[in-house]
């Protein structure tokens, strides 16, 4: 192995990297390194980091690494294979799925902006870190979900509704086919926390 590229710092995606540290160059976003060290992630510390873009060419295959802003972490990158028209984007663009639980380690509204950056990229196949493959239409629909959820939670919060009341009232039927079902009320909780963090300054 020549390169080991971390999608972001979360342990479920990078644990065990030390096995390859003596044979591969470990690559990650600039922000990932401090988190991996600080949180003592059980893996190799990145040897090469980048801020915006980096290109790796190996065996005739080109892979473009790009930072698209904060979203599901402050160091998530995408890996684009131009010839294969494929984009690997881990954890911040679930395909036909709600967000993992209550938005741990999430940045809003940066996340929504990062999805618009991905929508402007050239690719056909979306490969997420979990679940089925998708297309650019899945990126658009997921961005609309975040916008719709944020708008609904904000509207009810501004009406003075409690979190319990908001969980009763927000339904978003457009996304009713998504799963897991028990993540939707947790998504409302997480979005409420993120929305409230930027309200009522005085
Ligand atoms: Zn993650």
């Amino acid at each position: 192995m020549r390169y080991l590229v971390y999608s972001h710092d979360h342990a479920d995606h990078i644990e065990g990297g030390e096995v390859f540290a003596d044979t591969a160059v470990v690559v990650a976003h600039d922000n990932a390194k401090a988190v991996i060290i600080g949180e003592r992630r059980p893996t190799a510390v990145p040897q090469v980091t980048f801020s915006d873009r980096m290109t790796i060419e190996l065996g005739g295959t080109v892979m473009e690494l790009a930072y698209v802003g904060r979203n599901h972490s402050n160091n998530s990158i995408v890996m684009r294979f131009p010839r294969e028209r494929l984009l690997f984007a881990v954890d911040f663009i679930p395909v036909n799925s709600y967000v993992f639980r209550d938005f741990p380690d999430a940045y809003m509204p940066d996340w929504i902006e990062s999805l618009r950056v991905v929508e402007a990229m050239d690719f056909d196949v979306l490969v997420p870190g979990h679940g089925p493959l998708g297309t650019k239409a899945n990126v658009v629909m997921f961005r609309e979900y975040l916008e719709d959820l944020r708008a609904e939670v904000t509207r009810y919060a501004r009406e003075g509704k409690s979190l319990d009341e908001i969980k009763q009232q927000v339904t978003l039927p457009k996304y009713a086919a998504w799963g897991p079902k028990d993540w939707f009320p947790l998504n409302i909780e997480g979005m409420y926390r993120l929305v409230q963090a930027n309200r009522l300054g005085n």
Side-chain angles (χ1 to χ4, degrees), residues 8-13 72-73 76 90-91 130:
H8 62 307
D9 72 270
H10 294 162
D12 62 324
H13 293 275
H72 160 85
S73 76
S76 301
V90 175
D91 285 2
H130 303 268

Side-chain angles (χ1 to χ4, degrees), residues 18-36:
E18 70 277 5
V19 170
F20 303 109
D22 57 345
T23 53
V25 176
V26 183
V27 180
H29 184 259
D30 285 343
N31 295 342
K33 187 169 180 174
V35 181
I36 287 167

Side-chain angles (χ1 to χ4, degrees), residues 120-140:
M121 292 179 149
D122 193 21
F123 68 95
D124 293 329
V125 179
L126 171 69
V127 184
H130 303 268
L133 302 182
T135 66
K136 192 173 287 187
N138 294 105
V139 184
V140 174

Side-chain angles (χ1 to χ4, degrees), residues 13 24 35 53 58 61 68 86 89-90 103 108 154 160 172 189:
H13 293 275
V35 181
R53 284 177 183 280
L58 190 64
T61 297
V68 296
L86 185 151
V90 175
F103 285 83
M108 203 65 68
T154 301
L172 299 185
E189 276 187 40

